[in-house]
Amino acid sequence: MSASELSTVRHATGGATEALRRSNLATVLGLVHREGALSRSELTRRTGLNRSTVGDLVGELARLHLVEVDEAPAAGGRGRPSPVVRVTDSVAAVAVNPEVDAVLVGLVGLGGRVLKKVRIETSAARSVGDVVTLASAGIAGMLAGESRTLIAGIGIAVPGQVRLSDGMVKEATHFGWVDEPLAELLGAATGLRAWAANAAVLALRAESAFGAGRGVDDLVYMIGGASGIGGGAISGGRLLTGAAGYAGEFGHTFVATDGHACSCGSRGCLEAEVTQAELLAAVGLGSADAADLGDRLVATEDPAALAVVRRAYDHLRIAARSAVNVFNPSVVVLSGFLAALHRGASAHGAADLLGDVVRSSRAGVQVVEAQLGADQLLVGAAELVFADLIADPARAL
């Protein structure tokens, strides 16, 4: 073998070794991010790597300030206790969620922990420029005392259709946005890298990683908020995004003949027939009190309010039937005002949500409420940032 050929082989081997090291770093950080604190011996077991390699990987992640190691954990069980590895708060992501009535800004640490959040009230849907201005101000205020925290980027949860390849908001009908480069504009305004995706899909990612969908391979998720209804599905452990990232628009399931006009241009869509505003008004609540909607719907005995609940629930049953018949999940997760509607309707003797689903498809399907509450959109938005960080920790920082 010539000297040049030997050099080529060494270069290729070194490149493969480096790629493997980066892949192993991603595996270890991803496990600690999703599963919480794990002992080094548990990481060795889960990764299939040897103890020395795991020790080296954990050491490198610690030098990057992504994890911290408790070298002397409390003893428990047999033998020498293994050091415990957990994520740190030294690295965080900014999360932004524009809604028609507010702009939410949060600071989220690895492990899906919301460290700070602020709600900036707005009187009406805003232009992209307005959202960038409001979010930038909120971010600046939030980060004013965070000089020791490395900000890995901004994730934006948009209530609309967002192209995955570049974060372009193709359509957000409740805002009147078409082809708006929100991620690019907010990134330029703050000097931080920014990503954007559909809000409902990001909430699904959050619930799948840290909430009601954890460990579930086949899942349908439906969420209702001030800006409408959305959702998504996981099949065989994989998030279904569609060709460009627009899958999961359960809000545009057809539920009513001669129904109300929808912002999408059609009529009778679920989100045109069932709205948070109508349900809140039925029990005398304002948009700021949305968290109390479920309890109020359960408690109400007002005939007019119950009529609103019955009509809305009938439409939700149609949409849920379609989703379960198509995707055959083992779990249906309801979130936002849809969870409140289901809870309220059930308390007043409504029929099973999935009672009209094909019998074989509904067998064993659980209907549960989302666990992360109002934080799920912020956690999901942060996952956009952390996905890039975890994929290659050494490069991302």
Side-chain angles (χ1 to χ4, degrees):
M1 182 179 291
S2 68
S4 62
E5 289 173 329
L6 181 59
S7 175
T8 300
V9 170
R10 286 174 174 168
H11 178 75
T13 302
T17 301
E18 174 63 12
L20 180 60
R21 183 187 67 82
R22 288 176 178 269
S23 176
N24 287 337
L25 279 173
T27 298
V28 172
L29 181 57
L31 280 169
V32 181
H33 170 62
R34 292 186 302 271
E35 303 297 331
L38 294 171
S39 69
R40 207 157 64 193
S41 60
E42 180 66 10
L43 286 169
T44 299
R45 186 186 70 80
R46 293 198 186 199
T47 62
L49 301 170
N50 63 51
R51 293 175 58 190
S52 175
T53 298
V54 169
D56 290 343
L57 294 169
V58 168
E60 183 166 355
L61 291 172
R63 287 190 293 275
L64 290 169
H65 305 292
L66 293 169
V67 303
E68 59 187 18
V69 183
D70 184 352
E71 295 286 356
R78 296 181 180 180
R80 181 180 177 182
S82 177
V84 171
V85 184
R86 58 177 60 86
V87 294
T88 71
D89 289 335
S90 298
V91 177
V94 171
V96 176
N97 171 221
E99 287 282 3
V100 294
D101 57 353
V103 176
L104 305 178
V105 179
L107 187 65
V108 183
L110 285 163
R113 297 167 297 164
V114 177
L115 307 175
K116 292 182 180 180
K117 59 183 175 180
V118 62
R119 178 183 172 93
I120 305 168
E121 299 285 345
T122 61
S123 58
R126 301 289 183 179
S127 70
V128 167
D130 291 335
V131 168
V132 169
T133 299
L134 290 170
S136 297
I139 292 168
M142 182 167 287
L143 298 184
E146 297 292 336
S147 59
R148 290 198 233 172
T149 302
L150 177 61
I151 305 302
I154 303 172
I156 313 168
V158 182
Q161 293 183 320
V162 184
R163 190 166 61 199
L164 285 180
S165 60
D166 58 4
M168 171 72 75
V169 181
K170 295 299 294 179
E171 191 174 11
T173 54
H174 292 279
F175 293 91
W177 297 352
V178 176
D179 290 335
E180 294 285 3
L182 176 57
E184 178 184 333
L185 293 172
L186 188 54
T190 60
L192 296 167
R193 291 185 299 166
W195 294 260
N198 174 266
V201 171
L202 293 179
L204 165 58
R205 286 180 62 174
E207 285 291 333
S208 179
F210 305 109
R214 188 170 183 170
V216 180
D217 287 337
D218 296 279
L219 173 90
V220 160
Y221 174 85
M222 303 176 74
I223 181 173
S227 298
I229 293 171
I234 292 174
S235 181
R238 298 188 62 175
L239 176 66
L240 301 180
T241 60
Y246 308 145
E249 288 288 351
F250 293 130
H252 298 291
T253 303
F254 178 75
V255 297
T257 302
D258 298 326
H260 295 96
C262 182
S263 59
C264 73
S266 188
R267 303 187 73 88
C269 294
L270 177 63
E271 74 170 39
E273 303 301 321
V274 182
T275 69
Q276 176 174 284
E278 183 180 27
L279 289 168
L280 288 170
V283 290
L285 295 175
S287 61
D289 304 312
D292 299 326
L293 179 60
D295 291 341
R296 191 66 69 89
L297 291 178
V298 169
T300 188
E301 296 295 339
D302 176 54
L306 293 177
V308 171
V309 169
R310 281 193 296 271
R311 178 181 178 277
Y313 186 68
D314 286 344
H315 292 317
L316 177 59
R317 291 185 79 232
I318 294 171
R321 178 185 68 196
S322 298
V324 173
N325 282 339
V326 170
F327 295 108
N328 186 211
S330 60
V331 176
V332 174
V333 179
L334 298 177
S335 187
F337 77 78
L338 295 183
L341 171 60
H342 179 249
R343 198 188 324 157
S346 298
H348 293 285
D352 181 355
L353 180 70
L354 306 182
D356 294 332
V357 171
V358 174
R359 183 181 302 175
S360 55
S361 295
R362 74 171 181 262
V365 181
Q366 291 182 284
V367 178
V368 301
E369 291 192 15
Q371 294 178 355
L372 301 183
D375 286 344
Q376 62 192 287
L377 289 167
L378 298 178
V379 173
E383 283 297 285
L384 279 176
V385 180
F386 292 143
D388 185 75
L389 170 62
I390 291 169
D392 194 348
R395 178 191 60 80
L397 295 179

